[in-house]
Amino acid sequence: LRGLVTLRVLGMRLLKRIHGNFGFIVGFNSALIAAGLCGAISASTLALLHNASTVAVSAGCMRPLLDGK
């Protein structure tokens, strides 16, 4: 039964991480689109920032979800 509890905790933490990453990416990319439409940032800089945010979120996803017990 302990395995089921661990699985439940893992699932809850994973969903929390997915929702947080999704909210960040949608907000960040929306801000980039708005900056691009206003002409505040060049297209190449926007592409770089988009790719950097993708790499940053991907790297953040590699953090462990469970304690090292």
Side-chain angles (χ1 to χ4, degrees), residues 30-51:
S30 296
L32 290 179
I33 290 170
L37 289 174
C38 295
I41 302 176
S42 68
S44 58
T45 304
L46 290 171
L48 176 70
L49 291 172
H50 169 75
N51 290 333

Side-chain angles (χ1 to χ4, degrees), residues 15-59:
L15 279 176
K16 183 177 177 183
R17 183 177 289 180
I18 289 170
H19 289 179
N21 288 342
F22 180 76
F24 170 76
I25 286 296
V26 167
F28 189 76
N29 286 333
S30 296
L32 290 179
I33 290 170
L37 289 174
C38 295
I41 302 176
S42 68
S44 58
T45 304
L46 290 171
L48 176 70
L49 291 172
H50 169 75
N51 290 333
S53 69
T54 301
V55 170
V57 167
S58 298

